[in-house]
Amino acid sequence: FINQSELKIGKYTLDLNSRKIFSETKSLNLTEKETNLIIFINLKKIVNLRDLQKEVWGYSSDLETHTVETHIYRLRKKINDFFKDNEFIKSSKIGYTI
């Protein structure tokens, strides 16, 4: 996705090498999938469920699964529990944004 080692995402910095997301005073470890999910949503600005299934998970677009929703739910909870930020990933009728 990206050729740099750090990516600025709102008030956070994402270290792509260590897969950690930083605020001013804290850092949180992320999984490879969480990191890829954040990068893809940030890159596209707004992304729908089918695009995430295809581009991040490599699923065909006609596959019925709740994998993406489950990962987003868990990532939102993880960010909120650690950084007290329940606005990190937002969803609307047209897709997800950061």
Side-chain angles (χ1 to χ4, degrees):
F1 283 112
I2 305 292
N3 292 329
Q4 58 198 41
S5 63
E6 287 189 346
L7 187 60
K8 187 74 176 149
I9 300 175
K11 61 183 177 183
Y12 302 101
T13 301
L14 179 63
D15 185 313
L16 304 177
N17 295 324
S18 67
R19 290 197 306 258
K20 289 185 179 186
I21 191 165
F22 296 87
S23 70
E24 291 180 11
T25 58
K26 295 176 160 184
S27 70
L28 176 64
N29 292 325
L30 299 172
T31 66
E32 182 177 355
K33 196 60 77 177
E34 289 168 339
T35 303
N36 291 341
L37 185 64
I38 291 169
I39 292 168
F40 189 72
I41 295 172
N42 187 64
L43 183 66
K44 297 293 184 182
K45 301 304 177 209
I46 189 157
V47 62
N48 66 38
L49 183 64
R50 298 280 185 225
D51 289 342
L52 286 170
Q53 286 176 332
K54 182 180 176 196
E55 300 298 327
V56 178
W57 273 267
Y59 292 165
S60 65
S61 61
D62 59 347
L63 184 67
E64 276 298 316
T65 178
H66 294 285
T67 300
V68 174
E69 294 100 323
T70 301
H71 270 81
I72 288 176
Y73 170 80
R74 289 180 181 158
L75 180 56
R76 281 177 170 156
K77 182 169 177 11
K78 187 174 183 176
I79 296 288
N80 190 39
D81 289 350
F82 194 77
F83 293 115
K84 305 301 181 218
D85 181 356
N86 63 1
E87 296 289 318
F88 183 69
I89 296 177
K90 298 177 188 167
S91 59
S92 69
K93 291 180 183 179
I94 56 174
Y96 296 99
T97 60
I98 291 184

